[in-house]
């Protein structure tokens, strides 16, 4: 009798035979197994492919035999034929039926596996075929999931980017980006297509232009599971397009925009200006005597000069201003984002001033001037061509009326032109005043309210004009601010005040705080060192000097400003915050400023004690200053009532016409000595 272990071994042997053997070897092995299971001397497996004759010959002689078909799901695989025993009972028939059933199931499994293997092989062959096609085409093709991770990478992509398949698959597409903002949530990534021109980076680091076509990757009606990307290198085409664009819109000699681009950009800017109701200006510049230089010395020198002139014009303008070459020796400048049209006159002066230094070309020292015409939007025109034409007309007016070697400028509008000419005359005279020594310092005393003693003075600049007489700061300081001359004036004031302090020191006067105003243009990182050098040059201690800074100066880059202030106060120099209350100081910043004094602006002082709002503001400033341990000085004190109010609310110091107007140095010294003798 077969044991359970024999049955398991026979079953395993049967499965192994069906799965691994074929033909006669399989039939022989299955015959051996059936003989063992049925304990019979004769037993065969006759496969389905056995013909009727062979089957007939295989009939086994004997008294008794068993025959069992091997069938699964209606499919016939063969039959077992067993003999060699005198009789077979129900048990043996059941054993043979079970063996046949097991054999049929294994045959069925083998058939299914063969079909699956064949289908897989077909799919694999198809994929290999498609892969070979993709690898042979020139385009780079890659696929990625919807989050941008690469899932396939063809030979074209390897050639284009320099990354192998192993290096690319599994990485996010972002590693190929050059300078674009990545996004995988556009409409094409969900249900559409898109073709775009992009910049990508190769493995070598080279950045190139590519035409990118993206299509959704999906199977049947299912939602897109990824993207297919087709890329082609279009760098050469893009470079050609850029070159064509450059030739169409830029001057080949100077690299400046040409008339076409100027017109295009100005019209775009005018659209913005129209919405914002802002003025704009067009300057038309014609070089004086350029034709003479070009004809006499040759075109090469003329071209070199034009290039240098273009560079000087560009350096004299803001980044937001547009300068173009519109003709042989003609340039145009478009100004936007300006506060008033008269600022164009300042720009014209800057451009003329940029031509003053001689041009050194091929051993020649050459000088040249220019005539500038100015038109204003919207008074003189609402489009670029009209403004340019009107500026051209104004340029001829400037050329006819110009009497300066450097050149001249004129507005298209006669009224504007008169205003600009007056302003230009003031600027020219002011530049001369700095050279000719026409500036003067006056000193307005500062009084301590508690003692009535003069404790300092504010140094105020005046202009002793040879024709107009004494010119007040309100007439020339705004122009100096606009033109940048305020820096030179500020430097002169600091030097002159320290020189005067030296004279008073040598005359035996004790240290007296002289307050010097510092403009926003002067308040740079170079200021502390310049102040220190000036004090050292005149042998003064820091107690002689106080710097007055307006609130608006402090609002530009707070951390930088505080750093400069700390470097100044570290030298022992006092700082005063001028015109306090008229600017935008944040209290959180105010407590960080290393200042000694808050100066109440005259616009508040003039209203006390009659205006309740001014009284409240002044009282609040003084109270806050006391809490921050700052002294307070009020300027513009002109009445006894104002003085009494300031005393009552705790103001420390005052200055104004009630006590003294600004005085020349000798008069101030006499007033100082008289005040000190009276207060002993």
């Amino acid at each position: 009798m077969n044991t359970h272990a024999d049955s398991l071994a026979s079953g395993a042997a049967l499965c192994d035979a069906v799965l691994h053997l074929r033909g006669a070897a399989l039939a022989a092995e299955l015959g051996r197994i059936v003989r063992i299971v049925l304990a019979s001397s004769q037993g065969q497996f006759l496969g389905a492919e056995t013909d009727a004759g062979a089957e007939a010959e295989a009939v086994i002689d004997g008294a008794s035999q068993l025959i069992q078909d091997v069938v699964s799901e209606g499919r016939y695989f063969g039959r077992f034929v067993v003999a060699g025993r005198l009789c077979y009972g129900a048990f043996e028939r059941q054993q043979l039926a079970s063996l046949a059933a097991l054999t049929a199931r294994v045959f069925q499994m083998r058939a299914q596996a063969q079909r699956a293997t064949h289908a897989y092989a077909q799919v694999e062959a198809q994929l290999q075929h498609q892969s070979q096609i993709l690898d042979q085409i020139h385009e780079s093709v890659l696929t990625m999931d919807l989050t941008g991770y690469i899932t396939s990478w063809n030979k074209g992509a390897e050639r284009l980017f320099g990354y192998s398949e192993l290096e690319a698959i599994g990485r996010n597409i972002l590693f190929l980006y050059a300078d674009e903002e990545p996004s995988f949530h556009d409409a094409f990534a969900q249900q559409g297509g898109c073709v775009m021109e992009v910049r990508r980076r190769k493995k070598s680091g080279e950045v190139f232009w590519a035409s990118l076509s993206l299509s959704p990757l999906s199977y049947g009606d299912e939602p897109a599971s990824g993207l297919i990307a087709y890329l082609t290198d279009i760098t050469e085409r893009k470079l050609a397009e850029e070159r064509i664009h450059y030739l169409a819109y830029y001057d080949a000699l100077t690299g400046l925009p040409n008339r076409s681009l100027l017109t295009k950009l100005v019209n775009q800017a005018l659209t913005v200006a129209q919405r914002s109701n802002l003025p704009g200006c067009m300057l038309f510049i014609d070089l004086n005597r350029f034709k003479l230089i070009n004809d006499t010395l040759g075109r090469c020198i003329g071209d070199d000069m034009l290039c240098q002139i273009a560079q000087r014009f560009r350096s004299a303008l803001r980044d937001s201003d547009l300068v173009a070459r519109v003709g042989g020796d003609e340039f145009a400048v478009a100004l936007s984002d300006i506060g008033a049209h008269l600022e164009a006159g300042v720009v014209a002066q800057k451009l003329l001033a940029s031509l003053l230094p001689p041009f050194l070309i091929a051993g020649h020292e050459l000088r040249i001037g220019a005539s500038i015409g100015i038109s204003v939007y919207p008074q003189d025109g609402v489009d670029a061509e009209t403004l340019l034409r009107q500026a051209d007309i104004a340029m001829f007016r400037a050329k006819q009326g110009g009497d300066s070697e450097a050149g001249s400028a004129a507005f298209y509008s006669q009224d504007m032109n008169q205003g600009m000419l007056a302003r230009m005359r003031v600027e020219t005279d002011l530049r001369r005043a700095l050279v000719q020594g026409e500036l003067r310092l006056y000193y307005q005393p500062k009084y301590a309210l508690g003692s009535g003693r003069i404790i300092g003075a504010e140094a105020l600049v005046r202009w002793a004009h040879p024709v107009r007489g004494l010119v007040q700061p309100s007439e020339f300081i705004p122009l100096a601010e606009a033109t940048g001359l305020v820096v030179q004036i500020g430097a002169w004031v600091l030097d002159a005040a320290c020189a005067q302090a030296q004279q008073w020191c040598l005359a035996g006067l004790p240290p007296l705080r002289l307050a010097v105003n510092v403009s926003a243009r002067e308040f740079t990182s170079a200021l502390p060192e310049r102040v220190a050098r000036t004090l050292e040059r005149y042998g003064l201690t820091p107690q002689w000097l106080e710097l007055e800074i307006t609130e608006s100066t402090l609002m530009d880059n707070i951390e930088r400003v505080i750093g400069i202030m700390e470097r100044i106060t570290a030298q022992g120099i006092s700082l005063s915050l001028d015109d306090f209350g008229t600017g935008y100081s944040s209290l959180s910043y105010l407590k960080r400023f290393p200042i000694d004094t808050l100066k109440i602006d005259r616009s508040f002082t003039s209203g006390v004690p009659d205006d309740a709002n001014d009284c409240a503001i002044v009282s609040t400033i003084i109270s806050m200053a006391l809490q921050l341990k700052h002294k307070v000085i009020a300027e513009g004190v002109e009445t006894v009532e104002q003085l009494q109010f300031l005393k009552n609310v705790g103001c420390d110091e005052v200055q104004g016409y009630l006590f003294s107007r600004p005085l020349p140095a000798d008069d101030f010294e006499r007033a100082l000595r008289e005040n000190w003798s009276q207060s002993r």
Side-chain angles (χ1 to χ4, degrees):
M1 178 177 283
N2 294 330
T3 64
H4 181 65
D6 290 338
S7 298
L8 290 177
S10 297
L14 185 146
C15 291
D16 187 65
V18 173
L19 294 176
H20 296 95
L21 299 179
R22 298 292 183 273
L26 175 60
E29 179 63 13
L30 292 180
R32 184 187 69 82
I33 292 171
V34 75
R35 289 194 296 273
I36 293 173
V37 172
L38 272 296
S40 299
S41 59
Q42 300 177 40
Q44 295 181 359
F45 174 76
L46 303 177
E49 67 278 4
T50 304
D51 58 29
E55 183 176 346
E57 293 176 359
V59 174
I60 303 172
D61 296 331
S64 178
Q65 65 177 4
L66 294 177
I67 299 175
Q68 182 66 50
D69 289 341
V70 178
V71 180
S72 176
E73 297 182 2
R75 182 175 177 182
Y76 175 75
F77 295 101
R79 61 176 53 174
F80 285 111
V81 179
V82 182
R85 292 174 59 179
L86 294 177
C87 65
Y88 292 97
F91 176 74
E92 285 78 9
R93 291 189 182 89
Q94 180 61 43
Q95 279 187 310
L96 184 57
S98 298
L99 181 62
L102 175 60
T103 304
R105 286 197 297 273
V106 176
F107 269 113
Q108 183 70 20
M109 290 173 57
R110 188 185 76 175
Q112 291 175 349
Q114 287 175 337
R115 286 195 298 271
T117 301
H118 179 68
Y120 176 78
Q122 286 183 319
V123 171
E124 188 176 51
Q126 186 177 8
L127 290 175
Q128 288 178 349
H129 180 66
Q130 293 175 347
S131 178
Q132 288 177 358
I133 294 174
L134 289 177
D135 286 340
Q136 292 302 316
I137 64 175
H138 181 70
E139 279 188 326
S140 62
V141 183
L142 59 97
T143 60
M144 53 188 161
D145 62 22
L146 292 178
T147 61
Y149 285 92
I150 297 172
T151 54
S152 72
W153 183 264
N154 79 333
K155 294 294 183 183
E158 289 188 6
R159 290 190 296 269
L160 180 60
F161 289 98
Y163 291 98
S164 68
E165 185 179 19
L166 291 176
E167 292 175 306
I169 292 179
R171 297 179 68 177
N172 195 285
I173 194 71
L174 293 179
F175 85 101
L176 300 176
Y177 276 54
D179 53 8
E180 297 168 295
E181 288 294 329
S183 174
F184 300 109
H185 302 288
D186 298 323
F188 68 81
Q190 295 162 14
Q191 53 177 5
C194 183
V195 178
M196 65 190 82
E197 293 180 352
V198 296
R199 284 162 56 86
R200 293 292 182 261
R201 190 182 305 278
K202 297 184 179 183
K203 184 177 181 180
S204 63
E206 176 189 351
V207 175
F208 68 99
W209 280 99
S211 173
L212 170 64
S213 174
L214 283 167
S215 301
L217 178 63
S218 59
Y219 300 96
D221 297 331
E222 296 181 3
S225 60
L227 296 171
I228 306 174
Y230 305 88
L231 294 102
T232 304
D233 190 336
I234 59 169
T235 303
E236 290 186 7
R237 176 170 67 79
K238 290 294 292 184
L239 292 176
E241 289 176 354
E242 290 174 2
R243 179 61 181 167
I244 293 171
H245 179 273
Y246 182 85
L247 293 175
Y249 289 110
Y250 288 88
D251 174 52
L253 177 63
T254 63
L256 294 177
N258 61 16
R259 189 184 187 110
S260 297
L261 183 56
L262 172 73
T263 302
K264 181 178 180 180
L265 295 178
V266 169
N267 283 330
Q268 291 175 357
L270 291 179
T271 301
V272 177
Q274 185 178 17
R275 290 196 297 264
S276 306
N277 197 27
L278 295 174
C281 293
M282 181 78 79
L283 282 67
F284 191 96
I285 307 164
D286 182 76
L287 301 177
N288 298 338
R289 303 183 307 278
F290 176 77
K291 187 176 185 303
L292 177 63
I293 295 173
N294 200 50
D295 292 345
T296 304
L297 299 177
R299 184 171 178 176
C300 290
I301 289 180
D303 287 350
D304 197 345
M305 173 172 272
L306 288 173
C307 291
Q308 292 191 35
I309 290 172
Q311 292 173 0
R312 291 191 186 186
F313 283 171
R314 183 67 269 171
S315 299
L317 298 168
R318 304 171 301 176
D319 291 340
S320 59
D321 299 330
L322 176 63
V323 57
R325 184 185 178 204
V326 295
D329 62 346
E330 296 171 339
F331 295 82
V333 172
L335 304 177
S336 58
D337 191 24
I338 58 175
H341 62 262
L342 284 178
E343 291 183 18
V346 177
V347 175
Q349 284 296 95
K350 286 184 178 180
L351 294 173
L352 293 175
S354 72
L355 299 177
L356 289 177
F359 294 85
L360 303 177
I361 304 173
H364 301 281
E365 184 175 302
L366 306 174
R367 297 181 182 274
I368 198 168
S371 300
I372 303 178
I374 307 170
S375 60
V376 178
Y377 168 86
Q379 293 94 318
D380 301 331
V382 294
D383 62 84
E385 283 296 341
T386 302
L387 290 171
L388 200 58
R389 184 172 60 254
Q390 309 296 49
D392 193 0
I393 295 172
M395 182 275 296
F396 278 104
R397 180 184 298 163
K399 190 177 287 289
Q400 293 167 0
D403 55 359
S404 170
E405 182 179 347
S408 57
F411 276 96
Y412 177 75
S413 166
Q414 191 61 40
D415 292 339
M416 294 182 189
N417 195 43
Q418 290 175 353
M420 183 198 69
L421 290 175
R423 184 168 179 166
M424 288 172 60
R425 281 196 295 270
V426 172
E427 181 183 352
T428 301
D429 289 350
L430 188 54
R431 291 182 186 275
R432 187 199 65 242
L434 282 164
V435 176
Q436 299 295 333
E438 297 175 5
L439 298 183
R440 303 284 186 270
L441 275 189
Y442 278 53
Y443 300 88
Q444 185 169 34
K446 295 182 178 182
Y447 292 83
L449 275 180
S451 63
R453 185 181 177 89
I454 295 177
I455 44 82
E458 181 178 1
L460 300 169
V461 66
R462 298 291 186 266
W463 180 6
H465 195 281
V467 177
R468 301 170 58 195
L470 200 63
V471 181
Q472 296 299 312
S474 59
E475 296 186 46
F476 65 89
I477 289 298
L479 177 62
E481 289 277 4
T483 60
L485 286 173
V486 70
V487 176
Q488 294 172 256
I489 294 174
W492 180 88
V493 170
L494 176 63
D495 190 82
C498 288
Q500 182 60 61
Q502 182 189 49
Q503 293 183 27
W504 285 333
C505 182
L506 295 175
L509 291 178
L512 174 80
R513 280 190 292 122
L514 293 181
V516 173
N517 290 281
V518 177
S519 70
R521 286 178 178 262
E522 294 179 89
F523 204 80
T524 67
S525 57
L527 179 63
E529 184 178 352
R530 180 161 65 86
V531 171
R533 286 200 310 267
T534 305
L535 290 175
E536 183 180 0
R537 182 164 62 252
Y538 291 104
L540 298 174
T541 61
Q543 288 75 17
W544 280 93
L545 185 62
E546 179 180 60
L547 300 182
E548 290 193 1
I549 308 166
T550 59
E551 276 190 278
S552 59
T553 301
L554 306 180
M555 292 302 101
D556 179 25
N557 195 333
I558 295 295
E559 298 303 325
R560 181 187 68 86
V561 166
I562 292 177
I564 296 173
M565 295 174 74
E566 289 176 343
R567 288 170 56 197
I568 293 173
T569 56
Q571 301 176 30
I573 300 168
S574 299
L575 289 177
S576 174
L577 188 55
D578 196 9
D579 299 336
F580 185 74
T582 62
Y584 307 96
S585 293
S586 165
L587 295 181
S588 63
Y589 288 131
L590 183 61
K591 67 181 182 181
R592 296 178 57 195
F593 293 145
I595 57 177
D596 301 282
T597 306
L598 292 180
K599 193 170 190 179
I600 301 175
D601 186 67
R602 66 177 66 249
S603 62
F604 301 124
T605 307
S606 62
V608 299
D610 300 324
D611 189 301
N613 291 331
D614 285 342
C615 290
I617 292 172
V618 171
S619 300
T620 301
I621 292 174
I622 294 173
S623 176
M624 179 180 62
L626 291 174
Q627 295 295 324
L628 295 173
K629 296 182 172 53
H630 297 324
K631 294 192 294 292
V632 182
I633 182 170
E635 64 177 357
V637 179
E638 298 180 357
T639 68
V640 175
E641 290 77 14
Q642 291 171 347
L643 178 64
Q644 188 59 50
F645 175 84
L646 292 170
K647 281 184 178 180
N648 293 339
V649 294
C651 187
D652 299 300
E653 303 168 6
V654 292
Q655 68 181 86
Y657 285 3
L658 178 63
F659 298 92
S660 174
R661 291 175 175 272
L663 303 170
D666 292 341
D667 293 346
F668 174 78
E669 183 178 348
R670 283 193 293 271
L672 177 66
R673 292 184 182 277
E674 181 180 345
N675 173 266
W676 283 1
S677 63
Q678 292 175 354
S679 58
R680 287 176 180 170

